Amino acid sequence: MKKINISGAQNVEVSKKLPCEKSTAEQLDIMEEYTSVHKASLHLSKEKREINCLNVIFPRLFRNIEEDDLIAGRLDFLPVGFGSVTSVGGVGHYCVFDKLQKFQSELVSEEDKKRVDKIGKYWEEHDVKALYCKDVLTEDTIGRFIDCNYPLMATARLSGMMLDYPKLLDNGIDGLKNIIKDKLNKSAENEFLKIALETLDLYEKTVDYERKLIAKAMKNAGEERLKELLLIDESLSAIRNNKPKTFHQALQMFWLYALLAGCINYGRLDDYLGPYLKHDLETGLITEEDAYRYLKSLWTLIENRRTTVNGRIITGGYGRKNIEAADIFTRIALKVTKDCKYVEPQFTLRITKETPQDIMDMAYDCIGEGVTYPTLYNDEINIPAVMYSMRVDRETAEQYVPFGCGEFVIQGQSVGTPNILINLLKILNITLNKGIDPMDGKKKSGNIIMKDPDEYRSFDELYSKYKELLDYYLDLSADAQYHSYEVMNREVSFMFASILTNDCISRGKSILDGGVRYLGGTNETYGNINSSDALYAIKTLVFDQKKYTLKELNEAAHHNFKGYEKIREELWNCGKYGNDIEEADELANDLYEFVAKGNRDRGLKKGMDYFLIVISNNQTNTEWGRKTSASLDGRYSGQFMNPANNPQGGADKNGPTALLNSLSRFDAKYHGGSVQNIKFTPNMFNKNRKIIKSLFDTYFKKGGCHLMVTVVDRGVLKDAQDHPEKYPDLVVRVSGFSAIFVNLERDVQDEVMSRVLYDA
């Protein structure tokens, strides 16, 4: 197995985590006990080992309730533990080695430091992601996320799990236990089902623990706060075993279960919480102000998890069971989102021809306040696209939900984790340099026989060789994605998540063991538009106009255009995607479809139900850009790459209509999510709302699947960069997520600032 570096950063983190509530001594005790229990359980089934370990950390990791909380449930996360995603720890039985080392550095006792060494040594051989990386990483082609020296990065995580919360709310814990027991009667030796019952026992144990925390908080509470705490306690008592009857109880039950499951995206809250809300409002049990306060508390709890690119809440769209109730929820949720101005939750609105006009107006008002939410998803395009891409019927496709940076899953029915990331631009530069990455001089073309630049006699010949190398990396992608599931399944069962994922209980199997209805995956693509623009410039200047040879362009790029400023200017001024230039857009679309179809075909051959690309990015377009050499679209070495499906910053020069025309050309049925960003000044967006609505309506009618909008004054971002202390709460869209601008690294800020800001 390959020797891997396990000590570096393993995740993109922008949001600053809240400090752990536990003392360092207690943290060390918990991690040591977890490690000991895992070791003692190695001879047991993966399900029994998992529940043994979960009983170490839950409910012990739950934090005290805070003064403004109207819902119970806050969690600490340690460098060692159990999880689903890297944003809040790791996957399965995990050790985040760099955080464990940081924890160790804060200890005073040498004896305690030795205890940490012992813990770390054990997890080098048992951390699930480390086991996966030892299998798949190579010296030259596949690196660990986020090692940007490689054209392909791989990780292991179970991201984007949007559980079947209606099953939880409709049955309650006792109801779920009865369903499992009925299945056990027919399959008495099924280990998964037996441990599922123990898992629900742990939920009950956690409720009891939370009630003790409430009792503790009551001791010094004033009269009004005491009423709030009594309500939380009553809800916890009600949902310990039974299904919820009120909006507050349903909210509390969903949230507590999500924390235990390690899920950081929450799905269609309007659909499954709306009916409780409507009932309570109509019966006078609560007021709209009460509902607003409860949701604001939930928004705050989600924000405090600090999961960077997640926290998705979805409202609107087709396929909801009670549209009237769901829309009541949506309206209140929009008010909360507008007032909070948080980075998370990533509030998402699915829109249709039937979306009420007042909801659309509220959405635009929210965006116009600079909130960056809601993000807009077009059901008229996305539902037919999901039907094709995931091979499901319309009823199923109507339950699509975006998560993370924009990937799609079917709520409660599918896995679509992006465990692979591919840099199309780095692969193009390797193609242009006979298999060598100009950034570090290493050969990264695998077994593909490459050509010298002078050997290409036509653009088609060059393009075919690039596609051949892309095929090689797409093969690696599918293998690595599928193997991530194999390794995770070998080690863990994700019990809490499996119980609320169809069809795990009916099949008596965990999510990755054959339980999930649709096993999918996602490959994140980067540098798409840089690549197509570079290809278009090569075609134009070398093969059509014959103005330069490919060798001459490469030489200029090797010098980062220093001394070759005229060539760089001509490359930059060639037609660019995002300007409604048909030939440039067609080439971008051809490359997109080649990668998307090739990726999908390979996933199907591996046995996945779908394997799609997502055209998105967190800030990896900037981080990967640092390790990507100068490119023939005129981009400098080390500079950020284009964000998601948008042009390189400053390349779109023909206005917002031309930009949106280009963005709408990609056929949505070939991808599993595509991020489109656009920026306006408040003057343009708010004082010309009729024009903005018309612009967006036309874009969506022409095939636009999605839109994320930033509204910010001209000059504000530059001033925030120079004087960060003045802008502690300035929120911007990075790509598939929003962030506090001043928390971003300098070159990530530069990338956001480089995007064209449209003004009146």
Side-chain angles (χ1 to χ4, degrees):
M1 287 188 287
K2 174 182 166 58
K3 179 70 175 175
I4 62 166
N5 174 22
I6 57 175
S7 61
Q10 300 181 47
N11 191 42
V12 172
E13 289 186 306
V14 176
S15 302
K16 297 178 180 177
K17 302 290 188 187
L18 298 179
C20 184
E21 186 180 71
K22 279 75 179 167
S23 67
T24 53
E26 188 176 2
Q27 292 178 57
L28 182 52
D29 285 345
I30 294 171
M31 290 189 288
E32 199 168 52
E33 184 180 350
Y34 189 97
T35 303
S36 176
V37 168
H38 184 276
K39 185 176 182 179
S41 301
L42 285 174
H43 67 289
L44 302 175
S45 68
K46 61 179 180 177
E47 293 87 359
K48 186 63 177 174
R49 181 166 62 248
E50 182 172 325
I51 194 62
N52 287 349
C53 289
L54 289 177
N55 273 299
V56 173
I57 57 174
F58 296 140
R60 202 166 166 188
L61 285 184
F62 278 82
R63 299 168 65 108
N64 286 307
I65 190 165
E66 297 193 5
E67 186 64 31
D68 295 329
D69 290 347
L70 300 180
I71 305 162
R74 289 175 174 269
L75 265 179
D76 275 328
F77 296 94
L78 305 182
V80 171
F82 188 92
S84 296
V85 292
T86 52
S87 299
V88 285
V91 62
H93 304 288
Y94 71 78
C95 177
V96 186
F97 294 98
D98 63 323
K99 293 184 178 179
L100 185 64
Q101 290 168 355
K102 184 177 185 296
F103 172 81
Q104 184 185 46
S105 71
E106 296 169 354
L107 298 175
V108 175
S109 164
E110 289 301 319
E111 183 60 35
D112 285 347
K113 290 182 179 182
K114 288 178 182 178
R115 291 166 66 191
V116 173
D117 282 335
K118 189 174 180 181
I119 291 170
K121 190 70 175 173
Y122 177 82
W123 288 108
E124 285 180 13
E125 301 300 325
H126 296 282
D127 169 71
V128 172
K129 189 161 67 170
L131 294 173
Y132 167 72
C133 287
K134 287 175 182 177
D135 287 350
V136 302
L137 301 191
T138 68
E139 295 294 340
D140 54 359
T141 55
I142 308 177
R144 185 199 64 176
F145 184 58
I146 49 177
D147 187 343
C148 295
N149 289 298
Y150 295 80
L152 193 68
M153 293 191 289
T155 188
R157 53 189 175 182
L158 196 71
S159 292
M161 293 307 299
M162 305 255 197
L163 304 183
D164 186 0
Y165 292 111
K167 180 182 288 185
L168 173 70
L169 303 178
D170 292 347
N171 291 283
I173 297 302
D174 282 353
L176 284 176
K177 284 186 173 182
N178 288 335
I179 293 171
I180 295 166
K181 288 174 183 176
D182 287 344
K183 185 68 179 175
L184 258 175
N185 287 336
K186 303 169 188 175
S187 184
E189 300 306 314
N190 186 293
E191 185 77 350
F192 167 74
L193 295 173
K194 287 190 286 186
I195 302 304
L197 291 175
E198 292 188 41
T199 303
L200 295 178
D201 289 342
L202 180 53
Y203 167 92
E204 294 171 349
K205 181 180 171 184
T206 301
V207 170
D208 294 339
Y209 185 86
E210 284 291 339
R211 294 190 69 191
K212 290 178 182 177
L213 294 179
I214 296 296
K216 177 182 172 183
M218 285 180 179
K219 291 179 180 178
N220 299 311
E223 184 178 349
E224 287 303 312
R225 181 57 178 160
L226 188 59
K227 290 179 183 178
E228 294 170 348
L229 293 171
L230 282 169
L231 173 64
I232 300 171
D233 187 61
E234 289 169 5
S235 290
L236 287 168
S237 176
I239 62 160
R240 184 185 189 276
N241 301 101
N242 301 313
K243 57 187 180 182
K245 294 181 180 178
T246 69
F247 177 59
H248 189 273
Q249 290 171 13
L251 200 57
Q252 180 65 75
M253 189 174 208
F254 134 75
W255 176 245
L256 200 59
Y257 198 99
L259 291 177
L260 288 166
C263 292
I264 55 177
N265 293 284
Y266 310 107
R268 307 185 78 177
L269 265 67
D270 64 334
D271 193 33
Y272 58 82
L273 294 179
Y276 295 94
L277 172 61
K278 181 174 182 286
H279 173 270
D280 288 4
L281 290 172
E282 289 177 346
T283 58
L285 183 64
I286 63 172
T287 65
E288 281 200 20
E289 177 60 26
D290 292 327
Y292 173 94
R293 290 174 62 241
Y294 299 161
L295 288 187
K296 187 174 182 181
S297 183
L298 175 66
W299 263 232
T300 302
L301 290 169
I302 292 172
E303 191 280 336
N304 284 180
R305 289 188 89 181
R306 307 286 170 87
T307 61
T308 300
V309 300
N310 294 285
R312 285 271 187 171
I313 288 175
I314 293 92
T315 65
Y318 293 120
R320 295 177 295 168
K321 297 180 182 68
N322 190 323
I323 296 172
E324 182 186 359
D327 284 346
I328 292 171
F329 181 97
T330 299
R331 291 181 177 97
I332 297 174
L334 279 164
K335 291 178 184 177
V336 173
T337 301
K338 182 180 178 182
D339 293 346
C340 286
K341 294 183 171 64
Y342 289 154
V343 168
E344 293 180 81
Q346 286 207 67
F347 187 67
T348 298
L349 180 64
R350 285 174 43 181
I351 61 174
T352 74
K353 296 174 183 175
E354 301 166 11
T355 300
Q357 188 57 54
D358 72 300
I359 287 179
M360 288 303 304
D361 289 340
M362 289 180 73
Y364 286 132
D365 287 344
C366 196
I367 293 168
E369 287 287 313
V371 178
T372 75
Y373 297 119
T375 63
L376 305 174
Y377 284 81
N378 181 9
D379 270 15
E380 308 298 343
I381 296 299
N382 289 325
I383 288 173
V386 169
M387 290 173 65
Y388 174 86
S389 62
M390 296 187 183
R391 306 184 302 160
V392 296
D393 59 25
R394 183 176 175 90
E395 183 179 0
T396 301
E398 286 178 349
Q399 299 307 320
Y400 86 91
V401 280
F403 71 91
C405 291
E407 305 89 336
F408 293 165
V409 287
I410 307 297
Q411 176 148 357
Q413 302 180 58
S414 82
V415 170
T417 296
N419 284 346
I420 294 298
L421 306 86
I422 188 170
N423 185 337
L424 305 187
L425 185 61
K426 185 178 274 286
I427 294 172
L428 176 59
N429 285 356
I430 291 167
T431 302
L432 293 170
N433 289 275
K434 206 174 180 180
I436 304 298
D437 185 347
M439 204 67 185
D440 57 16
K442 294 182 179 180
K443 181 178 180 293
K444 299 177 183 176
S445 54
N447 58 9
I448 305 300
I449 299 173
M450 306 303 292
K451 290 185 175 183
D452 189 274
D454 287 343
E455 295 182 68
Y456 295 111
R457 295 290 174 259
S458 69
F459 174 74
D460 288 343
E461 190 179 345
L462 168 64
Y463 195 20
S464 294
K465 180 58 69 174
Y466 175 44
K467 288 179 175 178
E468 186 181 354
L469 190 56
L470 283 173
D471 278 334
Y472 171 77
Y473 275 97
L474 291 176
D475 287 339
L476 295 177
S477 297
D479 290 343
Q481 175 77 26
Y482 194 76
H483 190 58
S484 71
Y485 294 152
E486 292 177 321
V487 172
M488 288 189 285
N489 181 55
R490 187 179 70 216
E491 300 296 323
V492 293
S493 292
F494 301 107
M495 291 303 305
F496 274 109
S498 291
I499 290 169
L500 293 189
T501 299
N502 295 314
D503 298 303
C504 291
I505 292 176
S506 62
R507 294 177 181 177
K509 297 179 177 181
S510 62
I511 290 172
L512 298 177
D513 205 23
V516 70
R517 188 172 295 173
Y518 304 107
L519 179 66
T522 317
N523 191 349
E524 296 183 16
T525 62
Y526 291 82
N528 308 50
I529 303 306
N530 295 113
S531 299
S532 66
D533 282 348
L535 288 167
Y536 185 70
I538 292 168
K539 181 178 183 298
T540 301
L541 296 178
V542 176
F543 295 103
D544 292 347
Q545 298 179 3
K546 303 188 186 305
K547 198 165 188 177
Y548 300 102
T549 65
L550 190 52
K551 186 175 181 179
E552 288 173 321
L553 296 186
N554 267 349
E555 188 68 17
H558 288 163
H559 287 83
N560 201 23
F561 304 115
K562 189 174 182 179
Y564 298 85
E565 288 77 10
K566 183 174 182 295
I567 288 180
R568 192 265 168 184
E569 184 179 354
E570 291 197 57
L571 290 169
W572 181 251
N573 289 329
C574 271
K576 293 279 191 289
Y577 174 84
N579 293 285
D580 201 11
I581 299 171
E582 186 174 356
E583 193 174 1
D585 289 354
E586 283 181 355
L587 185 49
N589 187 64
D590 184 83
L591 176 60
Y592 149 67
E593 290 199 5
F594 175 83
V595 174
K597 292 174 181 177
N599 193 76
R600 183 175 186 265
D601 290 346
R602 285 164 173 81
L604 296 179
K605 288 177 183 176
K606 291 293 296 184
M608 288 182 273
D609 293 293
Y610 63 87
F611 184 38
L612 308 173
I613 68 165
V614 58
I615 313 173
S616 178
N617 61 272
N618 27 69
Q619 63 187 51
T620 308
N621 70 310
T622 298
E623 295 186 341
W624 225 338
R626 295 170 190 161
K627 300 293 185 179
T628 301
S629 60
S631 47
L632 298 188
D633 58 335
R635 176 194 145 274
Y636 291 108
S637 179
Q639 187 181 12
F640 47 78
M641 299 187 294
N642 77 281
N645 191 32
N646 282 73
Q648 183 77 358
D652 48 320
K653 302 173 182 178
N654 290 352
T657 301
L659 172 65
L660 293 177
N661 281 341
S662 291
L663 296 183
S664 67
R665 283 203 168 102
F666 283 15
D667 192 334
K669 73 180 183 181
Y670 297 123
H671 64 65
S674 177
V675 170
Q676 345 284 334
N677 281 294
I678 193 166
K679 281 198 315 188
F680 296 98
T681 63
N683 180 57
M684 176 65 180
F685 191 86
N686 294 323
K687 294 183 179 179
N688 297 276
R689 187 64 58 80
K690 187 175 180 180
I691 295 172
I692 292 292
K693 286 181 179 179
S694 177
L695 179 68
F696 288 4
D697 287 347
T698 302
Y699 163 72
F700 287 128
K701 286 175 184 176
K702 291 183 69 172
C705 61
H706 164 260
L707 205 56
M708 292 181 173
V709 186
T710 295
V711 175
V712 63
D713 271 313
R714 190 174 297 280
V716 164
L717 297 184
K718 178 59 179 169
D719 194 47
Q721 195 176 51
D722 295 338
H723 305 285
E725 71 282 355
K726 292 165 55 179
Y727 301 90
D729 302 314
L730 177 60
V731 180
V732 294
R733 292 300 307 177
V734 180
S735 183
F737 75 105
S738 291
I740 299 296
F741 181 75
V742 297
N743 289 346
L744 298 169
E745 294 179 87
R746 181 85 181 195
D747 56 351
V748 181
Q749 293 176 346
D750 290 341
E751 192 275 305
V752 172
M753 290 169 59
S754 75
R755 303 173 193 173
V756 173
L757 177 63
Y758 295 111
D759 202 351

